[in-house]
């Protein structure tokens, strides 16, 4: 940012003493001679002698950089020869070969050490190979998916299906499938996880190859490697789509060095020498003190050194740390002392913190891979882990009846956790102090205030990490982002409340939100992030009139023209934009390097990210106050061109708040700059923080799994006979392994809870959630301008609630947060209103809203919140759910309706699938369901809406029946393919994806049947009252589908039975019970509970359907054939399916209703058979061949039954046969038709 109102700016070039002779004598720091002596003392060379001191060149801050260049110059003799060590061939700097040593589509980091797969199975090798000696390299696993890591020769040829280890002379370890590969594969090693480090070791003297995981050897993997002429081995990897790793060939110290093995790359000796020299300079600063009064240097013990803000010392340290920036991360107190000096702070902000050294590293508290390194054993000497059970019906919290020993251990563990938390809080407070200094906006004497320099750098930092086109990974690691976000929120709220204290009209941070005008006035750049209403260029064109009328904003015509050109050809970019964009390391069939900043010393920091640099839109500053009729024309400015006035505003300019809609209050919330910081914090959470919070839960899951394994092992030890010493020894060994692992994990869990899931971090996320809710509420009031809001505000509201509910328990509960019920209700209102909001056009965000609402109605607390929103909003939500299912994500809508019904349907009160509890109790915990929590209030709204209009119920039921027909037909087709695949001799497995889709279609069919059951129960008249339009047709369609389902599922030894008997993994939910009880519920409601007239109509329609088989109804009670009239039902066959076998889930009353229905249908079927008359084939409907012809179409004259034509007209107005448009449908009788035909012939 350019400085205003001052002749001094703090760029890299001007941040030195002026060269003016008079000013150089009186520097404002110390006088010239003392400064010269001090700098020579600090930056003295090793060959410094008294003789040389007399002839040395005077030093000041002007020529100090040149002196440092000479001091740090290292002669790299024989650098090339060092790279050609015996047994190694290739460049001395070992990187990934992005020019020719790859196969497939890959994304390589700009340091050529990190790689991400962007194709099915891409392969890449290094630039250096080895043919003699012992060598190793390390790989940091960034994602735990399918990868094969190891070695290959230059003659190996790979493709999209075969990678490292799949060919001769290539060898690999796969921790995802826990196997080793060399043409064939066998079990080897242990499973890896994200964050693990794999060491790949090759011994070409003995011809062996081995691997280590986190420093623990996995044993020799391969022996008798091919050696000799032309046999040299390259490090190589093959990885699937979106999997990523980072290599360390030796450019950094190995995490787990192995004695006798050399890294492929020699250590950077020159850099180490420079680092030693800089550390010597730093030690000299600590041991020398300036005495300005006496004009001399004083030697002092470095342990007594204190920095009190002397400008000379601060500037000296700034030069040291400019050359050796990473040291700053380890000396937070020193960093704070330096940043307290205004000039040093601005210099570091402008040139170091965001450019040379990423400032986020100051705020990261690293999670230890090994607890010994962090001293956790000393802080937490006693370990403990919660004893939970995931079985149904048991409390998930800690067991109340714990033993005295367990209570002592738990309390000792909790005391250790508190000690750890206090240690960490000290560091966190120092980190917050750093941010408070960087956010200072009172230091604008002689230049730009620190906060505005920070804002410019911070926005560029967000731009680098924003997900651009191509879905590139983020530049800053997510674990850094998490820590940075929490410290930023602490500092932001501090300044927000400080401003409130001096400005009573402002708001407290508890009431914070982002005013909606920030999203459309162009003052803040959101890069290419999606808006709720689509692309920004599209919104500016379509909503320009609304912007003018509601916000007094006119878009510059030149910008509209440019936006139009961009829409015509989105692939072509203006030259300036193309010049600003970094080269992208993604090309079809190849990889390209990206320029890597020098500060990136860690491979995990080097994720290349593509972004589009769109200029921020600024508003021309008006010279006088605007009247309501005057409009402001906007023009674009880059972020670097913005001034403090553009952000904070001036007397006649509102800055970031320009374009205030009439719905917004006039008084400011806080300083405008703090609003932009808050906006950036919300964006940070969206970019990667939420994803990282979900990953860290894995530690808690690991604790639960190992605790369960330990309990099972202890139970086996107690049951094992003492005479089986071999088994006892193995069990004791397993018990020891599990206990050691739990000791390690419980300490890591304490660390995670202190740094990520503490009460303070939970309050930060809760505050961010409430900020997003207020922002969405205020944006919604602006009408059409709501479309300008970035999508990430809605996603952060959804995801932060999910994180609070799922990630922080059971240690901290969301229910304990202040205003919990109110927040839940406000979020419910937002989900209910916006899941079908036409202003939101993005498919992904609409799906997210739908899924969030579906999850919301699953839990009692959140469902009650939905019931607390205003009645008008509830009715509107249900109306949207009842809209026809076509052209929208109907599956999610259907799940929402089903969850409102669970607990009310026939046999629909289970939380575990009953058939699994009967057939495979050991797998009963796999498909888990939430406890039923139906909403009678929302069911009542649904019933009222279905009754109110003549078209609502028919259109809704027609769409449900259409989707049921599709889902069940797809399911039947898939189980046919599965059955055929299972019977083929040459193939004994079925594609898991096909199984998943098959199970999904089955679940959809069951859920659609349950929605029909709910509809029939709540408003039976829409099917049974034939005075209503389309009622008879809908009832006939329903009967037809129910009969088809029953016939397919209940046929003896049929396709469904055979697939269920296979018990394939992935098809656990597919069984007779879920679908048959759903069908039974519909039939019972129609045939037993309805009025007499309705029951008669339903019975006649059901029996009239040609697919009806009484045997299918008997199957429900385990009977092969219908019982004779007047005889009692025999006892069910235990080998057959019967609802009577599920008395834990089906009540006695419900079973009695089924028996009553069977008796009724048996009697009615016999009567119908006796009264039926034979029908000529010519008189049958030519469409269904099930009903007589009863309707004629006009004007074409073709005929069918009424059921077929009415069903057809629900979706299409064309004739079945001639495609003519049907104008009307008239009743048809054979006699009338015959007389007409005779007269015509005459």
């Amino acid at each position: 940012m350019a400085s205003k109102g001052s002749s001094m700016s703090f760029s890299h070039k001007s941040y030195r003493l002026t060269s003016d002779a008079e000013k150089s004598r009186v520097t404002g720091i110390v006088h010239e001679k003392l400064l010269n002596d001090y700098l020579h003392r600090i930056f003295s060379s090793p060959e410094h002698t008294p003789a040389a001191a007399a002839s040395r060149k005077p030093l000041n801050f002007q020529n100090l950089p040149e002196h440092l260049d000479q001091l740090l110059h290292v002669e790299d003799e024989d650098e090339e020869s060092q790279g050609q060590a015996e047994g190694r061939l290739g460049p001395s700097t070992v990187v990934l070969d992005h020019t020719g040593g790859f196969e497939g589509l890959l994304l390589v980091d700009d340091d050529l050490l990190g790689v991400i797969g962007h194709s099915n199975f891409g392969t890449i090798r290094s630039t250096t190979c080895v043919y003699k000696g012992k060598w190793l390299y390390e790989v940091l696993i960034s994602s735990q998916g399918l990868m094969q890591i190891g070695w290959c020769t230059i003659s190996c040829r790979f493709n999209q299906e075969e990678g490292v280890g799949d060919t001769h002379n290539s060898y690999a370890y796969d921790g995802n499938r826990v196997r080793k590969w060399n043409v064939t594969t066998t079990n080897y090693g242990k499973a890896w996880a994200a964050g693990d480090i794999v060491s790949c070791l090759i011994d070409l003297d003995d011809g062996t190859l081995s691997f280590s995981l986190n420093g623990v050897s996995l044993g020799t993997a391969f022996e008798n490697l091919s050696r000799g002429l032309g046999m040299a081995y390259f490090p190589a990897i093959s990885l699937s789509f979106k999997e990523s790793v980072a290599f360390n060939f030796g450019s950094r110290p190995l995490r787990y060095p192995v004695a006798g093995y050399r890294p492929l790359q020699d250590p950077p000796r020159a850099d180490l020498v420079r680092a030693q020299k800089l550390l010597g300079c730093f030690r000299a600063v600590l041991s020398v003190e300036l005495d300005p009064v006496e004009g001399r240097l004083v030697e002092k013990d470095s342990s007594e050194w204190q920095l009190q803000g002397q400008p000379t010392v601060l500037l000296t340290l700034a030069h040291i740390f400019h050359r050796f920036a990473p040291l700053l991360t380890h000396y937070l107190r020193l960093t704070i002392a330096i940043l307290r000096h205004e000039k040093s702070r601005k210099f570091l902000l402008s040139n170091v913190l965001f450019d040379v050294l990423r400032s986020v590293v100051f705020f990261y508290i690293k999670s230890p891979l090994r607890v010994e390194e962090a001293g956790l054993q000393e802080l937490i000497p006693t370990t403990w882990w919660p004893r939970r059970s995931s079985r149904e019906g048991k409390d998930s919290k800690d067991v109340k009846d714990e033993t005295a020993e367990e209570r002592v251990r738990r309390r000792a563990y909790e005391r250790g956790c508190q000690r750890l938390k206090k240690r960490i809080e000290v560091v966190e407070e120092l980190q917050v102090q750093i941010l408070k200094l960087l956010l200072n906006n009172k230091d604008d004497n002689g230049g730009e205030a620190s906060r505005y320099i920070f804002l410019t750098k911070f926005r560029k930092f967000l731009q680098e990490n924003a997900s651009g086109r191509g879905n590139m990974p983020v530049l800053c690691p997510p674990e850094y982002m998490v820590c940075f976000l929490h410290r930023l929120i602490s500092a932001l709220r501090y300044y927000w409340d400080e401003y409130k204290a001096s400005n009573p009209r402002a708001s407290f941070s508890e009431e914070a939100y982002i005013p909606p005008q920030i999203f459309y006035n162009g003052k803040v750049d959101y890069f290419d992030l999606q808006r709720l209403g689509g692309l920004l260029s599209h919104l500016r064109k379509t909503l320009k009139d609304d912007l003018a009328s509601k916000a007094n904003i006119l878009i510059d015509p030149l910008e509209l023209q440019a936006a139009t050109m961009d829409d015509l050809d989105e692939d072509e970019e203006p030259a300036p934009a193309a010049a600003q964009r970094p080269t992208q390391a993604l090309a079809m069939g190849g990889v390209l390097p990206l320029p890597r900043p020098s500060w990136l010393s860690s491979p995990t920091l080097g994720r290349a990210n593509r972004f589009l640099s769109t200029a921020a839109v600024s508003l021309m500053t008006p010279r006088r106050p605007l009247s309501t009729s005057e409009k402001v024309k906007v023009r674009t400015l880059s972020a670097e061109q913005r001034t403090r006035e553009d952000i904070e505003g001036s007397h006649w300019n509102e800055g970031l708040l320009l374009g205030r809609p009439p719905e917004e209050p006039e008084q400011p919330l806080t300083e405008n700059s703090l609003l932009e910081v808050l906006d950036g914090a919300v964006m940070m959470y969206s970019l990667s923080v939420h994803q990282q919070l979900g990953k860290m839960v894995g530690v808690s899951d690991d604790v639960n799994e190992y605790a369960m394994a330990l309990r099972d092992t202890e139970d086996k030890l107690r049951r094992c006979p003492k005479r089986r010493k071999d088994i006892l020894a193995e069990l004791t060994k397993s018990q020891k392994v599990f206990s050691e692992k739990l000791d390690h994990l419980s300490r890591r869990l304490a660390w995670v809870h202190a740094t990520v899931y503490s009460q303070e971090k939970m309050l930060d996320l809760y505050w961010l959630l409430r900020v997003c809710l207020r922002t969405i509420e205020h944006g919604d009031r602006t009408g059409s301008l709501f479309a300008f809001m970035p999508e990430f505000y809605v996603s952060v509201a959804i995801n932060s609630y999910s994180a609070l509910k799922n990630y922080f328990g059971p240690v901290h509960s969301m229910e304990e947060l202040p205003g919990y019920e109110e927040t839940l209700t406000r979020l419910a209102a937002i989900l209910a209103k916006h899941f079908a909001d036409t202003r939101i056009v993005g498919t992904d965000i609409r799906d997210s809203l739908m899924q969030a609402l579906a999850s919301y109605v699953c839990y009692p607390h959140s469902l009650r919140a939905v019931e607390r929103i205003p009645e008008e909003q509830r009715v509107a939500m249900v109306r949207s759910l009842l809209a026809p299912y076509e052209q929208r994500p109907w599956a999610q809508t259907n799940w929402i309706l089903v969850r409102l019904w669970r607990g009310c349907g026939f046999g629909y009160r289970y939380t575990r699938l009953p058939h699994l509890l009967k057939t495979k109790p050991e797998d009963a915990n796999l498909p888990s369901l939430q406890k039923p929590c139906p909403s009678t209030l929302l069911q009542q709204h649904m019933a009222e809406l279905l009754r109110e209009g003549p078209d609502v119920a028919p259109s809704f039921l027609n769409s449900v029946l259409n989707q049921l027909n599709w889902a069940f037909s797809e399911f039947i087709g898939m189980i046919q393919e599965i059955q055929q695949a299972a019977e083929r001799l040459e193939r004994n497995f079925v594609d898991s994806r096909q199984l998943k889709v098959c199970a999904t279609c089955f679940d959809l069919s069951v859920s659609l049947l349950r929605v029909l059951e709910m509809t029939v129960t709540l408003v039976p008249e829409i099917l049974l009252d034939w005075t209503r339009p389309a009622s008879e047709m809908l009832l006939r369609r329903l009967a037809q589908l129910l009969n088809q389902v029953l016939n397919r599922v209940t046929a003896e030894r049929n396709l469904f039975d055979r697939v269920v008997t296979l018990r394939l993994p992935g098809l656990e939910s597919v069984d007779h019970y879920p679908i048959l009880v759903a069908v039974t519920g519909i039939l019972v409601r129609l045939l037993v509970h309805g009025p007499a007239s309705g029951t008669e109509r339903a019975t006649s329609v059901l029996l009239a359907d040609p697919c009806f088989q009484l045997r299918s109804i008997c199957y429900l009670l385990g009977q092969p054939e219908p019982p004779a009239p007047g005889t009692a039902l025999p006892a069910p066959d235990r080998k057959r399916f019967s609802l009577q076998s599920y008395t834990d889930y089906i009540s006695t009353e419900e079973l009695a209703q089924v028996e009553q229905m069977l008796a009724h249908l048996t009697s009615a079927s016999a009567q119908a058979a006796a009264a039926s008359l034979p029908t000529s084939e010519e008189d049958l409907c030519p469409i269904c061949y099930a009903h007589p012809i009863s309707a004629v179409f006009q004007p074409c004259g073709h005929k069918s039954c009424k059921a077929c034509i009415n069903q057809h007209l629900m979706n299409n107005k064309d004739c079945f046969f001639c495609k003519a448009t049907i104008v009307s449908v008239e009743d048809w009788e054979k006699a009338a038709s015959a007389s007409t035909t005779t007269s015509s012939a005459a």
Side-chain angles (χ1 to χ4, degrees), residues 847-862:
D847 287 348
S848 297
L849 284 164
M850 184 76 75
Q851 292 170 9
L853 182 60
S855 174
Y856 221 69
V857 298
C858 276
Y859 302 91
H861 281 91
S862 50

Side-chain angles (χ1 to χ4, degrees), residues 309-361:
Q310 300 95 328
T312 302
V313 179
L314 289 169
L315 288 172
T316 303
L317 289 171
H319 279 281
I320 293 175
F321 292 124
H322 178 62
R323 302 297 183 110
F324 198 7
L327 278 181
L328 290 174
T329 63
H330 302 292
Y331 300 98
L332 292 178
R333 295 185 187 277
L334 173 61
T335 305
I336 292 172
I338 294 172
L339 292 176
R340 282 178 179 152
H341 183 253
E342 179 181 332
K343 294 182 179 179
S344 299
R345 178 169 65 251
K346 293 181 179 179
F347 173 78
L348 292 172
L349 260 176
S350 300
N351 302 287
V352 177
L353 295 184
F354 280 92
D355 298 320
V356 179
L357 174 70
R358 289 296 178 183
S359 60
V360 291
V361 301

Side-chain angles (χ1 to χ4, degrees), residues 219-252:
T220 301
F222 303 100
E223 298 177 337
N224 302 319
L225 301 184
S226 298
R227 291 170 286 172
L229 187 63
M231 297 302 298
Y233 290 88
F234 292 82
I237 183 173
S238 298
L239 64 174
S240 297
F241 183 70
K242 290 295 182 183
E243 304 300 338
S244 58
V245 298
F247 285 81
N248 180 12
F249 297 111
S251 58
R252 297 174 308 280

Side-chain angles (χ1 to χ4, degrees), residues 366-395:
K366 182 181 178 183
S367 177
L369 292 176
R370 292 188 296 185
V371 296
E372 298 84 358
E373 299 172 353
L376 293 184
Q377 286 183 333
E378 291 74 20
L379 285 173
I380 310 175
T382 303
T383 58
W384 172 85
W385 46 89
R387 294 181 175 271
R388 305 190 195 96
S389 175
S390 60
R391 295 289 179 182
E392 178 188 0
K394 295 187 179 180
D395 194 356

Side-chain angles (χ1 to χ4, degrees), residues 82 127 139 274 290 292 428 458 539 570 638 650 732 735 757 762 772 923 938 944 992 1130:
Q82 290 176 7
T127 56
V139 181
R274 295 186 186 99
L290 284 164
E428 291 177 345
F458 181 49
L539 293 174
E570 292 183 359
S638 65
S650 61
T732 304
Q735 182 187 30
Y757 298 126
M762 190 177 191
C772 292
D923 292 339
L938 297 179
E944 292 170 353
S992 60

Side-chain angles (χ1 to χ4, degrees), residues 756-945:
V756 180
Y757 298 126
S758 67
Q759 180 72 19
E760 294 76 16
K761 310 302 184 300
M762 190 177 191
L763 289 171
D764 286 347
L765 255 64
Y766 186 59
W767 180 75
L768 207 62
L769 166 62
R770 292 165 68 93
V771 166
C772 292
L773 295 182
R774 294 189 201 95
T775 301
I776 296 170
E777 291 168 351
H778 281 261
D780 181 40
R781 297 170 193 164
T782 62
S784 59
L785 299 184
F786 178 61
F788 281 94
M789 180 179 291
E791 283 186 352
F792 65 77
Y793 272 89
V794 176
S795 64
V796 169
I798 295 171
N799 291 334
S800 58
Y801 167 73
S802 174
L804 290 167
K805 182 168 67 76
N806 299 318
Y807 298 161
F808 286 82
V811 179
H812 306 293
S813 173
M814 189 180 178
E815 299 176 13
E816 301 170 358
L817 295 171
Y820 163 74
E821 297 287 346
E822 178 205 357
T823 302
L824 227 58
T825 305
R826 292 170 72 177
L827 179 56
I830 287 173
L831 296 176
K833 180 173 184 179
H834 296 299
F835 85 95
D837 193 340
T838 55
R839 295 171 296 180
I840 302 176
V841 301
T843 304
D844 291 341
I845 193 64
R846 289 175 69 89
D847 287 348
S848 297
L849 284 164
M850 184 76 75
Q851 292 170 9
L853 182 60
S855 174
Y856 221 69
V857 298
C858 276
Y859 302 91
H861 281 91
S862 50
L863 180 59
R864 300 291 89 84
V866 175
E867 294 178 343
R868 286 195 301 269
I869 66 178
E871 181 178 355
E872 180 182 356
Q873 294 185 20
R874 293 198 307 268
V875 173
M877 178 192 74
V878 177
R879 189 186 303 276
S880 298
L881 292 173
L882 294 181
Y885 279 6
E886 286 78 9
Q887 306 301 322
R888 67 194 186 101
W890 61 269
Q892 288 293 342
T893 301
N894 200 73
W895 290 127
I896 295 174
L897 293 175
V898 167
R899 286 161 182 171
L900 300 179
W901 180 245
R902 281 193 69 239
C904 297
F906 183 92
Y908 202 31
R909 295 170 292 277
Y910 52 83
T911 56
R912 301 285 176 184
L913 293 174
H915 62 275
L916 283 185
L917 292 172
K918 289 177 66 67
T919 58
K920 297 181 69 176
E922 67 276 7
D923 292 339
N925 61 332
L926 292 179
S928 176
L929 302 171
Q930 296 297 329
K931 291 183 179 179
C933 52
S935 173
T936 55
L937 178 61
L938 297 179
Q939 291 176 19
Q940 179 183 350
H941 290 328
M942 177 179 173
E944 292 170 353
L945 288 171

Side-chain angles (χ1 to χ4, degrees), residues 631-698:
K631 307 292 188 292
V632 181
K633 183 184 292 184
V634 300
R635 59 188 177 88
T636 55
L637 286 176
S638 65
E640 291 79 0
Q641 290 176 304
R642 291 190 311 171
T643 64
R644 176 170 182 166
E645 186 176 329
D646 291 318
I647 299 173
E648 299 291 1
S650 61
H651 185 59
W652 305 117
N653 177 17
E654 293 182 277
L656 290 184
L657 300 182
L658 199 60
R660 180 178 60 84
E663 296 82 6
E664 279 298 294
E666 295 185 7
Q667 63 269 21
L669 294 172
T670 185
E671 296 171 281
N672 291 354
S673 54
L674 295 181
L675 291 174
E676 186 170 344
V677 175
L678 175 57
D679 176 78
V682 178
M683 188 187 298
M684 282 176 58
Y685 186 90
S686 173
L687 292 178
S688 58
V689 171
H690 180 73
Q691 179 185 9
Q692 182 64 19
L693 290 177
K695 288 182 178 179
M696 299 303 290
V697 178

